[in-house]
Amino acid sequence: MKKIKVVQWGLGAMGSGMAKLMLEKEGLEIVGAIDTRPDYIGKDLGEVLKLGRNLGVKVQNTPAGLLQKGKVDICMQAINSFTKDCFGDMKIVVESGVNLITIAEEMAMPEAQQPELARQLDELAQKNGVSVLGTGINPGFILDAQVVMLSAACLNVTRIEAARINDLSPFGPTVMKTQGVGATPEEFERGIKSGEIVGHIGFPESIRMIAQALGLKIDRIEETRKPIISNVYRETPHVKVQPGMVAGCEHVGVGYCNGKEVIKLVHPQQIHPHLEGVKTGDYINIFGDPEVHMSNQPEIPGGKGTMAVAVNSIPNVVRATPGLKSMVDLPIPGCLMGNSAYDRR
Amino acid sequence: MKKIKVVQWGLGAMGSGMAKLMLEKEGLEIVGAIDTRPDYIGKDLGEVLKLGRNLGVKVQNTPAGLLQKGKVDICMQAINSFTKDCFGDMKIVVESGVNLITIAEEMAMPEAQQPELARQLDELAQKNGVSVLGTGINPGFILDAQVVMLSAACLNVTRIEAARINDLSPFGPTVMKTQGVGATPEEFERGIKSGEIVGHIGFPESIRMIAQALGLKIDRIEETRKPIISNVYRETPHVKVQPGMVAGCEHVGVGYCNGKEVIKLVHPQQIHPHLEGVKTGDYINIFGDPEVHMSNQPEIPGGKGTMAVAVNSIPNVVRATPGLKSMVDLPIPGCLMGNSAYDRR
């Protein structure tokens, strides 16, 4: 079997995890790595990943000379959440004739918020004979692709309600800030207004993916972000939350048709939800005939889930027809555990 | 939007249900129907389906003159469970240049039990530029495609255990016989030996689909069928089960690698499981990192689920590259509710 040659672009928590995961997969070979952190540049990837061995791959601070058609099959980007901010770097990959997977949340369905950039990317990808996929655990899997998949067992669908209840405790100070953890209720309201507290990135993308795949009409999407006020003391290495302060952000996205809720996605993100008896999990409820009531407890962890979904999608993207793709345009993905996983019929 | 033109072949409980479902889908148009029941032949499909209106489609007893390339996009077959028994009828469809979906259980992965016929079908499909898919709720969805899908959120997978616990009460006398419902324990053992009691059809297919999609090595598949002896009185319109008699068949399929269980699928089928406190449901447990523990209660009903998965797969099969396909070779399916569902990118 010919190995799929990969360049990893971005070596933060997610990108490093993806690189380590790819090293375990027999069908994948990392042939290059890009990151702008001054202390990474010029070092061997094995050293940056703290593997205790060299991989013969030096980290570059730019893609210069690295992305060569035929020598690289796919580039994995883990640099940013927003289509606009990573458009330039995506363009470099695509114009080099290299396939692309990005974990930028908005790229799970860039038509939702950046239709013009999505159109340009699709055109560029087609012109250069490559495919582009944005994915991750959410958006990209639990609250959209998995919802679509389960709906296939229904004769008809009238309404969808899905929730992902997770625990933010393992995350660092940036996530605490963007979710408002540790803020007072007043600071939370101000943070939402100023855009400092963003909640989840991905509801318009997930709602659009489901609606488009099923052909459900959605004429309006509404998002609400409410503070989860703690009744108890909660603490992580990065934040202390006193009773009455904010333990996280309850973010809800609703897709309406003619004033009626059609798709409702709920994603309360907080630290230590169990301290108030909240069980974490992934929940999908499809109303129609028959109804589907799926639960997965505890939730699939966000970090591992995103790394897994991105890396496990590699063969699908390399094999795909050229253009901009979403998860529901590609074959059912699966965990890459051996040779035949790279060779669907 | 150009409608997809469908011929329904087989108008039993499943085929009739599929036909009714297709009539509700705006992107599908039934242009022909085939069935050998003497009282159906020559009648309008609307009369056979008891719709109270004519559809302008006469039921034929053979496909003669019906399957014309360009005039028919796809044929839906619901006639038999076994690849060997429906091979001739599948060949007719494929050689007419018409795509094919069959709900024959073995066809979910015909390589498992009929590798030579699978090879021939693939060759014929490629030669005639059409694609062939076998699907249904199980095999085809819950205990295989859905398992593969969830595994995509895992960094690695070591072992899979999935169960489908359902209620056979709505089914007719044929199902009661093939599952041993109403038999004495001795009759059950004799029925298993003679092949009259078959249990579930699909374990080798599902295990192979998962193993192939993930690249898990399986060197042996073992199936066991045990009687579910009732402790209480159970009854349906078709069968009476006294305490001490058989209420159903607990069928287990295990895929081994080097003597170790890698994939275990459990499917106890019985009437009125709730009478002994058994909750019906679909359960998928994936061991690895992270673990996935999915449940769906109650189970997706077998009849509706099979009709839905088959009909909802139509656009995927019509768009597919030529050849024999399984569910994991095609894009994530979804419930067909409107125009955009027929037009993935």
Side-chain angles (χ1 to χ4, degrees):
Chain A
M1 193 186 68
K2 225 183 117 211
K3 290 194 181 199
I4 296 173
K5 294 188 172 61
V6 191
V7 164
Q8 176 63 43
W9 188 331
L11 292 167
M14 286 298 109
S16 296
M18 285 155 64
K20 280 184 205 164
L21 179 57
M22 290 190 285
L23 291 170
E24 289 172 19
K25 303 294 178 190
E26 56 176 316
L28 306 178
E29 184 185 352
I30 301 181
V31 297
I34 305 164
D35 197 282
T36 54
R37 287 168 182 78
D39 50 325
Y40 286 3
I41 299 166
K43 282 197 183 145
D44 188 274
L45 180 60
E47 193 186 341
V48 168
L49 298 177
K50 300 191 179 83
L51 300 179
R53 69 178 202 275
N54 278 355
L55 298 169
V57 172
K58 290 261 176 291
V59 178
Q60 304 188 179
N61 68 337
T62 76
L66 196 52
L67 299 168
Q68 294 185 41
K69 191 172 183 159
K71 291 195 178 168
V72 178
D73 298 303
I74 190 163
C75 175
M76 306 296 284
Q77 274 190 351
I79 42 180
N80 194 289
S81 294
F82 305 100
T83 302
K84 210 176 158 182
D85 295 342
C86 49
F87 186 77
D89 289 341
M90 293 195 289
K91 206 173 160 215
I92 291 172
V93 177
V94 170
E95 289 185 332
S96 306
V98 170
N99 298 294
L100 173 66
I101 290 178
T102 167
I103 60 165
E105 286 96 323
E106 280 191 359
M107 278 295 297
M109 182 57 74
E111 293 92 330
Q113 311 218 52
Q114 297 288 349
E116 173 52 24
L117 294 182
R119 197 196 56 73
Q120 286 181 36
L121 260 178
D122 185 43
E123 201 180 287
L124 277 173
Q126 301 218 28
K127 196 176 135 191
N128 288 281
V130 299
S131 46
V132 175
L133 172 73
T135 193
I137 195 71
N138 183 32
F141 195 81
I142 286 291
L143 292 185
D144 40 42
Q146 177 58 65
V147 173
V148 173
M149 176 81 179
L150 284 171
S151 80
C154 300
L155 304 175
N156 60 65
V157 170
T158 51
R159 191 167 66 81
I160 288 164
E161 191 168 332
R164 177 162 163 83
I165 301 174
N166 63 342
D167 185 351
L168 289 182
S169 310
F171 288 88
T174 312
V175 170
M176 295 305 130
K177 259 189 203 157
T178 59
Q179 303 303 322
V181 183
T184 63
E186 297 72 31
E187 285 166 353
F188 186 91
E189 295 310 325
R190 279 202 300 274
I192 291 288
K193 274 186 195 139
S194 72
E196 235 177 299
I197 298 174
V198 292
H200 171 58
I201 303 170
F203 280 139
E205 291 72 18
S206 290
I207 291 171
R208 175 142 183 168
M209 198 191 303
I210 298 169
Q212 200 165 303
L214 272 64
L216 297 171
K217 285 188 187 76
I218 296 291
D219 47 38
R220 181 167 57 90
I221 292 175
E222 225 170 65
E223 293 188 70
T224 53
R225 297 167 186 84
K226 284 185 191 158
I228 299 170
I229 312 282
S230 195
N231 292 305
V232 297
Y233 179 69
R234 311 189 193 187
E235 183 187 334
T236 80
H238 301 289
V239 70
K240 291 180 207 306
V241 176
Q242 303 290 342
M245 280 170 69
V246 176
C249 177
E250 166 135 355
H251 195 162
V252 177
V254 180
Y256 293 91
C257 181
N258 294 328
K260 253 185 70 182
E261 271 189 27
V262 178
I263 302 171
K264 181 177 186 177
L265 304 179
V266 179
H267 194 17
Q269 301 200 84
Q270 61 194 298
I271 58 166
H272 299 311
H274 65 280
L275 291 178
E276 296 201 35
V278 174
K279 273 193 183 170
T280 63
D282 300 307
Y283 306 93
I284 295 174
N285 295 287
I286 303 178
F287 300 93
D289 185 19
E291 292 190 4
V292 177
H293 300 286
M294 190 214 87
S295 75
N296 170 58
Q297 288 176 317
E299 87 282 14
I300 292 170
K304 287 180 182 178
T306 290
M307 296 170 203
V309 171
V311 170
N312 289 328
S313 294
I314 290 176
N316 276 343
V317 172
V318 170
R319 268 194 314 261
T321 55
L324 177 63
K325 308 285 174 184
S326 83
M327 285 299 279
V328 294
D329 301 318
L330 299 177
I332 294 170
C335 187
L336 301 174
M337 292 304 295
N339 273 335
S340 62
Y342 298 86
D343 188 30
R344 305 263 185 103
R345 63 194 180 184
Chain B
M1 193 187 69
K2 226 183 115 210
K3 289 194 179 198
I4 296 174
K5 294 187 172 61
V6 192
V7 164
Q8 176 62 43
W9 188 331
L11 292 168
M14 285 299 108
S16 295
M18 284 155 65
K20 281 184 205 165
L21 179 57
M22 290 191 284
L23 291 171
E24 289 171 19
K25 303 295 179 190
E26 57 176 315
L28 306 178
E29 183 185 352
I30 301 181
V31 297
I34 305 165
D35 197 282
T36 54
R37 287 168 182 79
D39 50 326
Y40 285 4
I41 300 166
K43 282 195 184 147
D44 189 273
L45 179 60
E47 194 186 340
V48 167
L49 299 177
K50 299 191 179 85
L51 300 179
R53 68 177 202 277
N54 277 355
L55 298 169
V57 172
K58 290 260 175 291
V59 178
Q60 304 189 179
N61 68 335
T62 76
L66 197 51
L67 299 169
Q68 294 185 41
K69 191 172 183 158
K71 291 195 179 168
V72 178
D73 298 303
I74 190 162
C75 175
M76 307 295 284
Q77 275 191 350
I79 42 181
N80 194 288
S81 295
F82 305 100
T83 302
K84 211 176 158 184
D85 295 342
C86 49
F87 186 77
D89 289 341
M90 292 194 291
K91 208 173 159 214
I92 291 173
V93 176
V94 170
E95 288 185 332
S96 305
V98 170
N99 297 295
L100 173 66
I101 290 178
T102 167
I103 60 165
E105 285 96 323
E106 279 190 1
M107 278 295 297
M109 182 57 74
E111 293 92 330
Q113 312 218 51
Q114 298 288 351
E116 173 52 23
L117 294 182
R119 197 196 56 72
Q120 286 181 35
L121 260 179
D122 185 43
E123 202 180 286
L124 277 174
Q126 301 219 27
K127 197 176 133 191
N128 289 280
V130 299
S131 45
V132 175
L133 172 72
T135 194
I137 196 71
N138 183 33
F141 196 80
I142 285 291
L143 292 184
D144 40 43
Q146 177 58 66
V147 173
V148 173
M149 175 81 180
L150 284 172
S151 80
C154 300
L155 304 174
N156 60 65
V157 170
T158 51
R159 191 167 67 80
I160 289 164
E161 191 169 332
R164 178 163 161 82
I165 301 174
N166 63 342
D167 185 351
L168 289 182
S169 309
F171 288 88
T174 312
V175 170
M176 296 304 130
K177 260 189 202 157
T178 59
Q179 303 302 322
V181 183
T184 64
E186 297 73 30
E187 285 166 352
F188 186 92
E189 294 310 325
R190 279 201 301 275
I192 291 288
K193 273 184 196 142
S194 73
E196 235 177 301
I197 298 173
V198 292
H200 171 59
I201 303 168
F203 280 138
E205 290 72 18
S206 290
I207 291 171
R208 176 145 183 166
M209 198 192 303
I210 297 169
Q212 200 166 303
L214 272 64
L216 297 170
K217 286 189 186 76
I218 296 292
D219 47 38
R220 182 167 56 92
I221 292 175
E222 224 169 66
E223 294 188 69
T224 52
R225 296 167 187 82
K226 283 184 191 159
I228 300 170
I229 312 281
S230 195
N231 293 305
V232 297
Y233 179 68
R234 309 189 194 188
E235 184 187 334
T236 81
H238 300 289
V239 69
K240 290 179 208 304
V241 176
Q242 302 291 342
M245 280 170 68
V246 177
C249 176
E250 166 133 356
H251 195 163
V252 177
V254 181
Y256 293 90
C257 181
N258 295 326
K260 252 185 70 181
E261 271 188 25
V262 179
I263 302 171
K264 181 177 186 178
L265 304 180
V266 179
H267 194 16
Q269 301 200 85
Q270 63 195 297
I271 59 166
H272 299 310
H274 64 280
L275 290 177
E276 295 200 35
V278 174
K279 273 195 184 170
T280 62
D282 300 306
Y283 306 93
I284 296 174
N285 295 287
I286 303 178
F287 300 93
D289 184 18
E291 292 190 3
V292 177
H293 300 286
M294 189 214 88
S295 75
N296 170 57
Q297 288 176 319
E299 88 281 15
I300 291 170
K304 287 180 183 179
T306 290
M307 295 170 204
V309 171
V311 170
N312 288 329
S313 293
I314 290 175
N316 276 344
V317 172
V318 170
R319 266 193 315 261
T321 55
L324 177 64
K325 307 286 173 182
S326 81
M327 284 300 278
V328 294
D329 301 318
L330 299 177
I332 293 170
C335 186
L336 302 174
M337 292 304 295
N339 273 334
S340 61
Y342 299 86
D343 188 30
R344 305 261 185 105
R345 62 193 180 185

